[in-house]
Coordinates of all heavy atoms in Angstrom, one line a residue:
M157 N 0.8 -1.2 0.0 CA 0.0 0.0 0.0 C 0.9 1.3 0.0 O 0.5 2.2 -0.7 CB -0.9 0.0 1.2 CG -1.9 1.1 1.2 SD -3.1 0.9 -0.1 CE -4.2 2.1 0.2
Q158 N 1.9 1.2 0.7 CA 2.8 2.4 0.8 C 3.5 2.7 -0.5 O 3.6 3.8 -0.9 CB 3.9 2.2 1.9 CG 4.9 3.3 2.0 CD 6.0 3.0 3.0 OE1 6.1 1.8 3.5 NE2 6.8 3.9 3.3
H159 N 3.8 1.6 -1.2 CA 4.5 1.8 -2.5 C 3.5 2.4 -3.6 O 4.0 3.2 -4.4 CB 5.0 0.4 -3.1 CG 6.1 -0.1 -2.2 ND1 7.3 0.5 -2.0 CD2 6.1 -1.3 -1.4 CE1 8.1 -0.3 -1.2 NE2 7.4 -1.3 -0.8
A160 N 2.3 2.0 -3.5 CA 1.3 2.6 -4.5 C 1.1 4.1 -4.2 O 1.0 4.9 -5.1 CB 0.0 1.8 -4.4
L161 N 1.1 4.5 -2.9 CA 1.0 5.9 -2.6 C 2.2 6.7 -3.0 O 2.0 7.7 -3.6 CB 0.8 6.0 -1.0 CG 0.7 7.4 -0.5 CD1 -0.6 8.1 -1.0 CD2 0.7 7.4 1.0
I162 N 3.4 6.1 -2.9 CA 4.6 6.8 -3.3 C 4.5 6.9 -4.8 O 4.9 8.0 -5.4 CB 5.8 6.1 -2.9 CG1 5.9 6.1 -1.3 CG2 7.1 6.6 -3.5 CD1 6.1 7.4 -0.7
L163 N 4.1 5.9 -5.6 CA 4.1 6.0 -7.0 C 3.1 7.0 -7.5 O 3.4 7.8 -8.4 CB 3.7 4.6 -7.6 CG 3.5 4.5 -9.1 CD1 4.8 4.9 -9.8 CD2 3.0 3.1 -9.5
T164 N 1.9 7.1 -6.8 CA 0.9 8.1 -7.2 C 1.4 9.5 -6.9 O 1.2 10.4 -7.7 CB -0.4 7.8 -6.3 OG1 -0.8 6.5 -6.6 CG2 -1.5 8.8 -6.8
I165 N 2.1 9.7 -5.8 CA 2.7 11.0 -5.5 C 3.7 11.4 -6.5 O 3.7 12.6 -7.0 CB 3.2 11.0 -4.1 CG1 2.1 11.0 -3.1 CG2 4.0 12.3 -3.8 CD1 2.5 10.8 -1.6
F166 N 4.6 10.6 -6.8 CA 5.7 10.9 -7.8 C 5.1 11.1 -9.2 O 5.5 12.1 -9.9 CB 6.7 9.7 -7.9 CG 7.7 9.7 -6.8 CD1 8.2 8.5 -6.4 CD2 8.1 10.8 -6.1 CE1 9.1 8.4 -5.3 CE2 9.0 10.8 -5.1 CZ 9.5 9.6 -4.7
F167 N 4.1 10.3 -9.6 CA 3.4 10.5 -10.9 C 2.8 11.9 -10.9 O 2.9 12.7 -11.9 CB 2.4 9.4 -11.1 CG 1.5 9.7 -12.3 CD1 1.9 9.6 -13.6 CD2 0.2 10.2 -12.0 CE1 1.0 9.9 -14.6 CE2 -0.7 10.4 -13.1 CZ -0.3 10.3 -14.4
A168 N 2.0 12.2 -9.9 CA 1.3 13.5 -9.8 C 2.2 14.7 -9.8 O 2.0 15.7 -10.5 CB 0.4 13.6 -8.6
F169 N 3.3 14.6 -9.1 CA 4.3 15.6 -9.0 C 4.9 15.9 -10.4 O 5.0 17.1 -10.8 CB 5.4 15.3 -8.0 CG 6.5 16.3 -7.9 CD1 6.3 17.5 -7.3 CD2 7.7 16.0 -8.5 CE1 7.3 18.4 -7.2 CE2 8.7 17.0 -8.4 CZ 8.5 18.2 -7.8
F170 N 5.3 14.9 -11.1 CA 6.0 15.1 -12.4 C 5.0 15.5 -13.4 O 5.3 16.2 -14.4 CB 6.8 13.9 -12.8 CG 8.1 13.9 -12.1 CD1 8.4 13.0 -11.1 CD2 9.1 14.8 -12.4 CE1 9.6 13.0 -10.4 CE2 10.4 14.8 -11.8 CZ 10.6 13.9 -10.8
M171 N 3.7 15.1 -13.3 CA 2.7 15.4 -14.3 C 2.4 17.0 -14.2 O 2.4 17.7 -15.1 CB 1.5 14.6 -14.1 CG 0.5 14.9 -15.3 SD -1.0 13.9 -15.2 CE -1.8 14.7 -13.9
V172 N 2.2 17.4 -12.9 CA 2.0 18.8 -12.7 C 3.2 19.7 -13.1 O 3.0 20.7 -13.7 CB 1.6 19.1 -11.2 CG1 1.5 20.5 -10.9 CG2 0.2 18.4 -11.0
A173 N 4.4 19.2 -12.7 CA 5.6 19.9 -13.1 C 5.7 20.1 -14.6 O 6.1 21.1 -15.2 CB 6.8 19.3 -12.5
S174 N 5.4 19.0 -15.4 CA 5.4 19.1 -16.8 C 4.4 20.1 -17.4 O 4.7 20.7 -18.4 CB 5.2 17.7 -17.4 OG 6.2 16.8 -17.1
L175 N 3.3 20.2 -16.8 CA 2.3 21.1 -17.2 C 2.7 22.6 -16.9 O 2.4 23.5 -17.7 CB 0.9 20.8 -16.5 CG 0.2 19.6 -17.0 CD1 -1.1 19.4 -16.2 CD2 -0.3 19.8 -18.5
L176 N 3.4 22.8 -15.8 CA 3.8 24.1 -15.4 C 5.0 24.6 -16.1 O 5.2 25.8 -16.3 CB 3.9 24.2 -13.9 CG 2.6 24.0 -13.1 CD1 2.9 24.0 -11.6 CD2 1.6 25.0 -13.5
I177 N 5.9 23.8 -16.5 CA 7.2 24.2 -17.2 C 6.9 24.5 -18.6 O 6.3 23.7 -19.4 CB 8.2 23.1 -17.1 CG1 8.6 22.8 -15.6 CG2 9.4 23.4 -17.9 CD1 9.5 21.7 -15.4
P178 N 7.2 25.7 -19.1 CA 6.8 26.2 -20.4 C 7.6 25.5 -21.6 O 7.2 25.6 -22.7 CB 7.1 27.7 -20.4 CG 8.2 27.8 -19.4 CD 7.9 26.8 -18.3
T179 N 8.7 24.8 -21.3 CA 9.4 24.1 -22.4 C 9.1 22.6 -22.4 O 8.8 22.1 -21.4 CB 10.9 24.3 -22.2 OG1 11.3 23.8 -20.9 CG2 11.3 25.8 -22.2
P180 N 9.2 22.0 -23.6 CA 8.9 20.6 -23.7 C 10.0 19.8 -22.9 O 11.2 20.1 -23.0 CB 9.0 20.3 -25.2 CG 9.0 21.6 -25.9 CD 9.4 22.6 -24.9
M181 N 9.6 18.8 -22.2 CA 10.5 17.9 -21.5 C 10.6 16.5 -22.1 O 9.7 16.0 -22.7 CB 10.0 17.7 -20.0 CG 10.1 18.9 -19.2 SD 9.4 18.7 -17.5 CE 10.4 17.3 -16.9
F182 N 11.8 16.0 -22.1 CA 12.0 14.6 -22.5 C 11.4 13.7 -21.5 O 11.5 13.9 -20.3 CB 13.5 14.4 -22.7 CG 13.8 13.0 -23.1 CD1 13.7 12.6 -24.4 CD2 14.2 12.0 -22.1 CE1 14.0 11.3 -24.8 CE2 14.5 10.7 -22.5 CZ 14.4 10.4 -23.8
P183 N 10.9 12.6 -21.8 CA 10.6 11.9 -23.0 C 9.2 12.2 -23.5 O 8.8 11.7 -24.6 CB 10.7 10.4 -22.7 CG 10.2 10.4 -21.3 CD 10.7 11.7 -20.6
G184 N 8.4 13.0 -22.8 CA 7.0 13.3 -23.2 C 6.9 13.9 -24.6 O 6.1 13.6 -25.4
N185 N 7.8 14.9 -24.9 CA 7.7 15.5 -26.2 C 8.1 14.6 -27.3 O 7.5 14.7 -28.4 CB 8.6 16.8 -26.2 CG 10.0 16.5 -26.0 OD1 10.4 15.5 -25.6 ND2 10.9 17.5 -26.4
V186 N 9.0 13.6 -27.1 CA 9.4 12.7 -28.1 C 8.2 11.7 -28.4 O 7.9 11.4 -29.5 CB 10.6 11.9 -27.6 CG1 10.9 10.8 -28.6 CG2 11.8 12.8 -27.5
F187 N 7.5 11.3 -27.3 CA 6.4 10.4 -27.5 C 5.2 11.1 -28.3 O 4.6 10.5 -29.1 CB 5.8 9.9 -26.2 CG 6.7 8.9 -25.5 CD1 7.0 9.0 -24.2 CD2 7.2 7.8 -26.2 CE1 7.8 8.0 -23.5 CE2 8.1 6.9 -25.6 CZ 8.3 7.0 -24.2
C188 N 5.0 12.3 -28.0 CA 4.0 13.1 -28.7 C 4.3 13.2 -30.2 O 3.5 13.2 -31.0 CB 3.8 14.4 -28.0 SG 2.9 14.3 -26.5
K189 N 5.6 13.4 -30.5 CA 6.0 13.5 -31.9 C 5.9 12.2 -32.6 O 5.6 12.1 -33.8 CB 7.4 14.1 -32.0 CG 7.5 15.5 -31.6 CD 8.8 16.1 -31.9 CE 8.7 17.6 -31.4 NZ 9.8 18.4 -31.8
L190 N 6.1 11.1 -31.9 CA 5.9 9.8 -32.5 C 4.5 9.5 -32.8 O 4.2 8.8 -33.7 CB 6.5 8.7 -31.6 CG 8.0 8.7 -31.4 CD1 8.5 7.6 -30.4 CD2 8.7 8.4 -32.8
I191 N 3.6 10.0 -31.9 CA 2.2 9.7 -32.1 C 1.7 10.4 -33.4 O 0.9 9.9 -34.2 CB 1.3 10.2 -30.9 CG1 1.6 9.3 -29.7 CG2 -0.2 10.2 -31.2 CD1 1.0 9.8 -28.5
G192 N 2.2 11.7 -33.6 CA 1.9 12.4 -34.9 C 0.9 13.5 -34.7 O 0.6 14.0 -33.7
I193 N 0.4 13.9 -35.9 CA -0.4 15.1 -36.0 C -1.8 14.9 -35.4 O -2.5 15.8 -35.0 CB -0.5 15.5 -37.5 CG1 -1.1 16.9 -37.6 CG2 -1.4 14.5 -38.2 CD1 -0.1 18.0 -37.4
S194 N -2.3 13.7 -35.2 CA -3.6 13.4 -34.7 C -3.8 13.9 -33.3 O -4.9 14.1 -32.8 CB -4.0 11.9 -34.9 OG -3.1 11.2 -34.0
A195 N -2.8 14.0 -32.5 CA -2.9 14.4 -31.1 C -2.3 15.8 -30.8 O -1.9 16.0 -29.7 CB -2.1 13.3 -30.3
V196 N -2.4 16.7 -31.8 CA -1.8 18.0 -31.6 C -2.5 18.8 -30.5 O -1.8 19.4 -29.6 CB -1.8 18.8 -32.9 CG1 -1.5 20.2 -32.7 CG2 -0.8 18.2 -33.9
E197 N -3.8 18.7 -30.5 CA -4.5 19.5 -29.5 C -4.4 18.9 -28.0 O -4.6 19.7 -27.1 CB -6.0 19.6 -29.8 CG -6.7 18.2 -30.0 CD -8.0 18.3 -30.8 OE1 -8.0 19.1 -31.7 OE2 -8.9 17.6 -30.4
Y198 N -4.0 17.7 -27.9 CA -3.8 17.1 -26.6 C -2.3 16.9 -26.3 O -2.0 16.2 -25.3 CB -4.5 15.7 -26.6 CG -6.0 15.8 -26.8 CD1 -6.5 15.2 -28.0 CD2 -6.8 16.4 -26.0 CE1 -7.8 15.3 -28.3 CE2 -8.2 16.4 -26.2 CZ -8.7 15.9 -27.4 OH -10.0 16.0 -27.7
S199 N -1.4 17.4 -27.1 CA 0.0 17.1 -26.9 C 0.5 17.6 -25.6 O 1.4 16.9 -25.0 CB 0.8 17.7 -28.1 OG 0.8 19.1 -28.1
L200 N 0.1 18.7 -25.1 CA 0.6 19.2 -23.8 C 0.2 18.2 -22.7 O 1.0 17.9 -21.8 CB 0.0 20.6 -23.5 CG 0.4 21.2 -22.2 CD1 1.9 21.5 -22.1 CD2 -0.4 22.5 -21.9
F201 N -1.0 17.7 -22.7 CA -1.5 16.8 -21.6 C -0.9 15.4 -21.8 O -0.5 14.8 -20.8 CB -3.0 16.8 -21.6 CG -3.7 18.1 -21.4 CD1 -4.3 18.8 -22.4 CD2 -3.5 18.7 -20.1 CE1 -4.9 20.0 -22.1 CE2 -4.1 19.9 -19.9 CZ -4.8 20.6 -20.9
L202 N -0.8 15.0 -23.0 CA -0.1 13.7 -23.2 C 1.3 13.7 -22.8 O 1.8 12.7 -22.2 CB -0.3 13.3 -24.7 CG -1.6 12.8 -25.2 CD1 -1.6 12.5 -26.7 CD2 -2.0 11.5 -24.4
S203 N 2.0 14.8 -23.1 CA 3.4 14.9 -22.7 C 3.5 14.9 -21.2 O 4.4 14.2 -20.7 CB 4.0 16.2 -23.3 OG 5.3 16.4 -22.9
A204 N 2.6 15.6 -20.5 CA 2.7 15.6 -19.1 C 2.4 14.2 -18.5 O 3.1 13.8 -17.5 CB 1.6 16.6 -18.5
V205 N 1.5 13.5 -19.1 CA 1.2 12.1 -18.6 C 2.4 11.2 -18.8 O 2.8 10.4 -17.9 CB -0.1 11.5 -19.2 CG1 -0.3 10.1 -18.9 CG2 -1.3 12.3 -18.7
F206 N 2.9 11.3 -20.0 CA 4.1 10.4 -20.3 C 5.3 10.8 -19.4 O 6.0 9.9 -18.9 CB 4.6 10.6 -21.8 CG 3.7 10.0 -22.8 CD1 3.4 10.6 -23.9 CD2 3.2 8.7 -22.6 CE1 2.6 10.0 -24.9 CE2 2.4 8.1 -23.5 CZ 2.1 8.7 -24.7
N207 N 5.5 12.1 -19.1 CA 6.6 12.5 -18.2 C 6.3 12.0 -16.8 O 7.2 11.5 -16.1 CB 6.8 14.0 -18.2 CG 7.5 14.4 -19.5 OD1 8.2 13.7 -20.1 ND2 7.2 15.7 -19.8
G208 N 5.0 12.1 -16.4 CA 4.7 11.6 -15.0 C 4.9 10.1 -14.9 O 5.4 9.7 -13.9
V209 N 4.5 9.3 -15.9 CA 4.7 7.9 -15.8 C 6.2 7.6 -15.9 O 6.7 6.7 -15.1 CB 4.0 7.2 -17.0 CG1 4.4 5.8 -17.2 CG2 2.5 7.3 -16.8
F210 N 7.0 8.2 -16.7 CA 8.4 7.9 -16.9 C 9.2 8.2 -15.6 O 9.8 7.4 -15.0 CB 8.9 8.6 -18.1 CG 10.4 8.4 -18.4 CD1 10.8 7.2 -18.9 CD2 11.4 9.3 -18.1 CE1 12.1 6.9 -19.2 CE2 12.7 9.1 -18.3 CZ 13.1 7.9 -18.9
Y211 N 9.1 9.5 -15.2 CA 9.9 9.9 -14.1 C 9.4 9.4 -12.8 O 10.1 9.1 -11.8 CB 10.0 11.5 -14.1 CG 10.8 12.0 -15.2 CD1 10.2 12.9 -16.1 CD2 12.2 11.7 -15.3 CE1 11.0 13.4 -17.2 CE2 12.9 12.2 -16.4 CZ 12.3 13.0 -17.3 OH 13.1 13.5 -18.3
G212 N 8.0 9.3 -12.7 CA 7.4 8.7 -11.5 C 7.9 7.3 -11.3 O 8.1 6.8 -10.2
S213 N 7.9 6.5 -12.4 CA 8.3 5.1 -12.3 C 9.8 5.0 -11.9 O 10.1 4.1 -11.1 CB 8.1 4.4 -13.6 OG 6.7 4.4 -13.9
I214 N 10.6 5.8 -12.4 CA 12.0 5.7 -12.1 C 12.2 6.0 -10.6 O 12.9 5.3 -9.9 CB 12.8 6.7 -13.0 CG1 12.9 6.2 -14.4 CG2 14.3 6.9 -12.4 CD1 13.6 7.1 -15.4
L215 N 11.6 7.1 -10.1 CA 11.8 7.4 -8.7 C 11.2 6.4 -7.8 O 11.7 6.1 -6.7 CB 11.3 8.8 -8.4 CG 12.2 10.0 -8.9 CD1 11.5 11.3 -8.6 CD2 13.5 9.9 -8.1
W216 N 10.1 5.8 -8.2 CA 9.4 4.8 -7.5 C 10.3 3.6 -7.4 O 10.4 3.0 -6.3 CB 8.1 4.4 -8.1 CG 7.4 3.3 -7.4 CD1 6.8 3.3 -6.2 CD2 7.3 2.0 -7.9 NE1 6.3 2.0 -5.9 CE2 6.6 1.2 -7.0 CE3 7.7 1.3 -9.1 CZ2 6.2 -0.1 -7.2 CZ3 7.3 0.0 -9.3 CH2 6.6 -0.7 -8.3
L217 N 10.9 3.2 -8.5 CA 11.9 2.0 -8.4 C 13.1 2.3 -7.5 O 13.5 1.4 -6.7 CB 12.4 1.7 -9.8 CG 11.4 1.0 -10.7 CD1 11.9 0.9 -12.2 CD2 11.0 -0.4 -10.2
V218 N 13.6 3.5 -7.5 CA 14.7 3.9 -6.6 C 14.2 3.8 -5.2 O 14.9 3.3 -4.3 CB 15.2 5.3 -6.9 CG1 16.1 5.8 -5.8 CG2 15.9 5.3 -8.3
F219 N 13.0 4.3 -4.9 CA 12.4 4.2 -3.6 C 12.2 2.7 -3.1 O 12.6 2.4 -2.0 CB 11.0 4.9 -3.5 CG 10.3 4.7 -2.2 CD1 10.6 5.4 -1.1 CD2 9.3 3.8 -2.2 CE1 10.0 5.2 0.1 CE2 8.6 3.6 -1.0 CZ 8.9 4.3 0.1
V220 N 11.8 1.9 -4.0 CA 11.6 0.5 -3.6 C 12.9 -0.2 -3.3 O 13.0 -0.9 -2.3 CB 10.8 -0.3 -4.8 CG1 10.9 -1.8 -4.6 CG2 9.4 0.2 -4.9
V221 N 13.9 0.0 -4.1 CA 15.2 -0.5 -3.9 C 15.8 -0.1 -2.6 O 16.4 -0.9 -1.8 CB 16.2 -0.2 -5.1 CG1 17.6 -0.6 -4.8 CG2 15.7 -1.0 -6.3
I222 N 15.7 1.2 -2.3 CA 16.3 1.7 -1.1 C 15.5 1.2 0.1 O 16.1 0.8 1.2 CB 16.3 3.3 -1.1 CG1 17.4 3.8 -2.1 CG2 16.6 3.9 0.3 CD1 17.4 5.2 -2.4
S223 N 14.2 1.2 0.0 CA 13.4 0.7 1.2 C 13.7 -0.8 1.5 O 13.7 -1.2 2.6 CB 12.0 0.9 1.0 OG 11.5 0.2 -0.1
R224 N 13.9 -1.6 0.4 CA 14.2 -3.0 0.6 C 15.6 -3.2 1.3 O 15.8 -4.1 2.1 CB 14.2 -3.8 -0.7 CG 12.7 -4.0 -1.1 CD 12.6 -4.9 -2.3 NE 11.2 -5.0 -2.7 CZ 10.9 -5.6 -3.8 NH1 11.7 -6.0 -4.7 NH2 9.6 -5.6 -4.1
R225 N 16.5 -2.3 0.9 CA 17.9 -2.4 1.6 C 17.8 -2.1 3.0 O 18.5 -2.7 3.9 CB 18.9 -1.5 0.8 CG 19.2 -2.1 -0.5 CD 20.4 -1.4 -1.1 NE 20.8 -2.0 -2.3 CZ 21.6 -1.6 -3.2 NH1 22.3 -0.4 -2.9 NH2 21.9 -2.2 -4.3
F226 N 17.0 -1.1 3.4 CA 16.8 -0.7 4.8 C 16.1 -1.8 5.6 O 16.3 -2.1 6.7 CB 16.0 0.6 4.9 CG 16.9 1.8 4.8 CD1 16.5 2.8 3.9 CD2 18.1 1.9 5.4 CE1 17.3 3.9 3.7 CE2 18.9 3.0 5.2 CZ 18.5 4.0 4.4
E227 N 15.1 -2.5 4.9 CA 14.4 -3.6 5.6 C 15.3 -4.8 5.8 O 15.1 -5.5 6.8 CB 13.2 -4.0 4.7 CG 12.1 -3.0 4.7 CD 10.9 -3.4 3.8 OE1 11.1 -4.4 3.1 OE2 10.0 -2.7 3.7
E228 N 16.3 -5.0 5.0 CA 17.2 -6.2 5.1 C 18.1 -6.0 6.3 O 18.5 -7.0 7.0 CB 18.0 -6.3 3.9 CG 17.3 -6.9 2.7 CD 18.1 -6.9 1.4 OE1 19.3 -6.6 1.5 OE2 17.6 -7.4 0.4
K229 N 18.4 -4.8 6.7 CA 19.4 -4.5 7.8 C 18.7 -4.6 9.1 O 17.8 -4.7 9.5 CB 20.0 -3.1 7.6 CG 20.9 -3.1 6.4 CD 21.6 -1.8 6.3 CE 22.5 -1.8 5.1 NZ 23.2 -0.5 4.9

């Protein structure tokens, strides 16, 4: 349960940060360009979701690895 909460917080943090930062961020902007012209009107939101998933997952994995090391000791 704790891991799901951490994942949700990291996802939300990076999604909101991607929406507030005026420049395109990697990898969200790359995914939107791969999707093509059909998603132009939603590209800002899709980019934010992709960034939230990408960076949120990376930080969540780091959190899981560090917490397991602390539990082992």
Side-chain angles (χ1 to χ4, degrees):
M157 186 67 174
Q158 179 185 9
H159 296 294
L161 178 64
I162 296 296
L163 178 61
T164 305
I165 290 171
F166 284 148
F167 168 76
F169 176 75
F170 281 104
M171 190 177 76
V172 169
S174 294
L175 286 172
L176 294 177
I177 294 173
T179 59
M181 288 178 59
F182 177 81
N185 63 342
V186 174
F187 288 134
C188 286
K189 288 186 184 196
L190 290 175
I191 290 172
I193 194 82
S194 64
V196 169
E197 56 197 38
Y198 302 110
S199 66
L200 179 66
F201 299 109
L202 285 175
S203 177
V205 170
F206 286 138
N207 286 335
V209 168
F210 181 75
Y211 292 116
S213 298
I214 289 173
L215 283 177
W216 176 72
L217 286 172
V218 169
F219 172 78
V220 168
V221 168
I222 290 172
S223 66
R224 286 189 181 166
R225 287 193 180 171
F226 280 128
E227 288 175 358
E228 289 175 0
K229 292 183 179 181

